[in-house]
């Protein structure tokens, strides 16, 4: 089963996470979700939340960038998903997906559970 790695090359944690996976022999399919051609849809974001155990999208929201993007603190899940799809900068990274599971790599060692 292949791994999909949601990656932002401009993020040092995301780069370190990819290096960690590769050092363990894992060669994931890398999706640079910040690129317009690889952005995540609302449906994909909902699927990630489901694969993380049915969490709220706030579990992988970059709170410090959310206000800058115009997302209200009390926004509901649907508004959060829409804001993430519109502005991928507010998605926390890295995220590793394997089959029916996904994990936020904060800290990056958490991703090894899906290795």
């Amino acid at each position: 089963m292949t791994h999909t790695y949601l990656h932002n090359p401009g993020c040092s944690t995301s780069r370190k996470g990819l290096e960690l996976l590769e050092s363990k022999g894992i060669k994931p399919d890398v999706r640079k979700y910040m690129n317009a051609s690889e952005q995540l849809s609302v449906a994909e974001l909902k699927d990630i939340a489901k694969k993380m155990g049915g969490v709220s999208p706030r579990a992988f929201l970059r709170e410090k960038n959310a206000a800058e993007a115009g997302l209200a603190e009390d926004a509901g899940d649907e508004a959060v998903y829409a804001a993430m799809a519109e502005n991928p900068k507010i998605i926390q990274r890295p995220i590793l997906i394997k089959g029916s599971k996904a994990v936020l790599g904060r800290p990056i060692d958490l991703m090894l559970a899906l290795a």
Side-chain angles (χ1 to χ4, degrees), residues 40 45 57-58 60-61 79-88 90-91:
L40 298 161
L45 291 162
R58 289 191 175 274
F60 55 103
L61 173 69
V80 174
Y81 285 124
M84 288 174 151
E86 176 81 19
N87 186 353
I90 67 172
I91 300 170

Side-chain angles (χ1 to χ4, degrees), residues 41-51 60 77-78 81:
S41 68
V42 169
E44 289 172 310
L45 291 162
K46 287 180 177 182
D47 189 52
I48 291 167
K50 180 180 175 184
K51 290 178 178 186
F60 55 103
D77 285 356
E78 291 302 318
Y81 285 124

Side-chain angles (χ1 to χ4, degrees), residues 63-109:
E63 293 285 350
K64 65 182 179 182
N65 296 113
E68 295 169 10
L71 184 65
E73 276 188 47
D74 62 348
D77 285 356
E78 291 302 318
V80 174
Y81 285 124
M84 288 174 151
E86 176 81 19
N87 186 353
K89 182 179 181 180
I90 67 172
I91 300 170
Q92 189 66 269
R93 68 263 181 177
I95 296 174
L96 183 65
I97 303 164
K98 180 181 179 188
S100 64
K101 301 284 184 188
V103 66
L104 175 63
R106 295 280 176 159
I108 60 174
D109 292 349

Side-chain angles (χ1 to χ4, degrees), residues 13-72:
T13 302
S14 193
R15 290 190 307 269
K16 289 176 187 173
L18 186 56
E19 289 172 11
L20 173 67
L21 293 174
E22 290 175 344
S23 76
K24 301 294 183 185
I26 299 168
K27 302 286 187 207
D29 291 332
V30 176
R31 183 164 176 184
K32 297 177 183 173
Y33 68 93
M34 296 288 286
N35 294 346
S37 64
E38 297 185 56
Q39 282 182 303
L40 298 161
S41 68
V42 169
E44 289 172 310
L45 291 162
K46 287 180 177 182
D47 189 52
I48 291 167
K50 180 180 175 184
K51 290 178 178 186
M52 287 182 167
V55 300
S56 163
R58 289 191 175 274
F60 55 103
L61 173 69
R62 287 181 60 86
E63 293 285 350
K64 65 182 179 182
N65 296 113
E68 295 169 10
L71 184 65

